[in-house]
Amino acid sequence: MSYRLVVRLGDRTLRFPLKPGEHGIGSKSDAAIRISHPTVSRHHASLVVDEEGVRLTDLGSSNGTRVAGSRITDQTLVEPGLPIKFGSVDARIESVREDDLAAGIAIEPPSAAPKSAVPVIEDPPSTIGHTVLEAFSLGHLPDLIERIARGESRDQVARAVGAALLRTLPCRRVEVVKPGKGEDGVLFAGERECTDATTEITVSAGDGIELKVAFAGAALANAFQPLLRAAAALVSAAGRRANGEVRGHAAQARAPQPPDPPTLVAAMREIYDQGARIARSKVSVLIRGESGTGKELLARYLHLASDRADQPLVTLNCAALPRDLLESELFGVERGVATGVDARAGKFESAHAGTLFLDEIGDMAAETQARILRVLAEGEVYRIGGHQARPADVRIISATNRDLTAMLENGGFRSDLYHRISDWVVELPPLRRRRADIPNLAAHFLGRACAGRGVQAAGISRAAVAALVAHDWPGNVRQLEKEMGRAALFVEDGELLDTGRLQPSIVAEGGGGDSDDLKEVVERAEKTHIERVLAECSGDVSGAAERLGIGVSTLYRRMKHLGVG
């Protein structure tokens, strides 16, 4: 059994692994365990870890050391879980598994400006430097670029840029203005409560728009000036589609890279390889798979890899709305069709010349299916209550987690619509059939979630990796992403995510084993999964290979290597 000291310092929880031997505790910078707090002495206490457990000794501190409420003077054996106080700082000893203290997968900080290029200040309370750049680039930059790609106006993107700067930069005030237009010229304004003297930087973003950002001093303002110029360039790039400035650029570009992190599963690589070819054609695509497997992610990739990439990608979840509302969303409505209703375009009209992604199309009513079939056949749409045909040249990508084959047999889905939307049918495997991807996906999601909080996780412990790989993930990739987002709330800067911060159900199922080798962890999970699929296929290797998305010879080779059968 291994131990660590858990210290609660304000709203932060600090965890210090305790190797065998003696550990000095104090507020001095050279202390093995440094606790920077006014009530903690420079040399406050000493911890000794040996085969008997953890023993604690006070070193004559001013405010004392207490265990379970009693002040100690002599060396005291401390059981895990007992409350400890160093001065007024709460702490406890925690017993942990050895493989929860070793990294199973590390999370490298994104390459950015050198840490020394950005000064660190204590107010506002955050560690800036590269963590600020991560928070902006990972937490906000993808959304800003998507807004530009969707064709949002320059004013809309400018507001979003202003909000992103205020949330991530150690600044006092952010304003995005259009000079000469009075109060209406303020597109965004926000500030932190502060009375300090400030240094303001003004950067032009084109179209009369200016970013005004105030910092605590000139050094800090100068350090972030390059980032402000880049933010202004984002604003400047917005809105060009309306003037035809960027039309056709994306169509000439090479196919985009598949989403990060790169998959290790051959079946997934093949799907994206085929998708890059399919995307450049006019064929319709039907994506099948369980909820949370990444159907919308594949749809976005297909759109970006197509010759319609510089046109809109419009998405609609067909299962989220009742029939009447779904049809008004799809086809639009004319003014006066009902009391108080204004005219508005539907998704088909909005996606003209672009791509329409219909998620959960299997949940659509038969009457709506018939209307969609007519739009696809004629390339035009009539709004509800209208008599004027409007252009609707769209490329359809559909997705469903339902068995459309069975629905065709029982009349639940129209066969003529099915053949219209299913030129290429692809099935995304559930996460339990691509376990080799789980460690990298988990690290990717954890790193992104931590960056949003302005912290950098060191990685994921071996025990936690083993538990994650062994879990079946009924909610698939989406569930893993949410779990990492939740776990990130409990990870401090420089810490490993361990099993103690995973959901108990994940740890209970995963177990984690005693291996300290990530390859062994993954292979153990792979062996368990192959054995399960073979059992479900009654020992039929060909059927199991099809279920696993690999060739029969590959499955035989993996079975031999893993000792299956």
Side-chain angles (χ1 to χ4, degrees), residues 146 148-151 241 287 295-306 308-316 347-348 350-359 394-398:
E146 285 184 9
I148 295 171
R150 287 197 300 265
R241 270 193 19 209
I287 307 171
K295 297 190 288 293
E296 184 171 352
L297 202 62
L298 176 58
R300 289 184 179 278
Y301 173 82
L302 293 171
H303 173 72
L304 291 174
S306 74
R308 297 174 179 244
D310 60 343
Q311 299 296 334
L313 168 64
V314 179
T315 67
L316 181 64
K347 300 297 187 184
F348 270 104
S350 300
H352 175 62
T355 304
L356 178 58
F357 175 54
L358 298 177
D359 198 7
V394 300
R395 197 249 185 97
I396 290 289
I397 300 177
S398 308

Side-chain angles (χ1 to χ4, degrees), residues 523-535 539 541 544 548 554-565:
E523 288 189 346
R524 185 171 60 251
E526 182 184 3
K527 177 180 179 181
T528 300
H529 184 56
I530 289 175
E531 289 174 339
R532 181 185 306 167
V533 173
L534 282 169
V541 176
L548 292 166
T554 301
L555 178 54
Y556 273 119
R557 187 167 60 251
R558 295 306 297 162
M559 289 170 62
K560 181 179 180 180
H561 176 76
L562 298 170
V564 176

Side-chain angles (χ1 to χ4, degrees), residues 8 39 53 73 75 145 160 168 178 261 297 331 351 368 394-395 408 433 456 491 502 507:
R8 186 69 180 174
T39 66
T73 55
Q75 193 175 76
I145 293 175
T168 55
K178 270 190 171 181
L297 202 62
F331 310 119
T368 308
V394 300
R395 197 249 185 97
L408 289 171
R433 286 172 52 192
Q456 171 68 45
V491 177
L502 296 176
V507 179

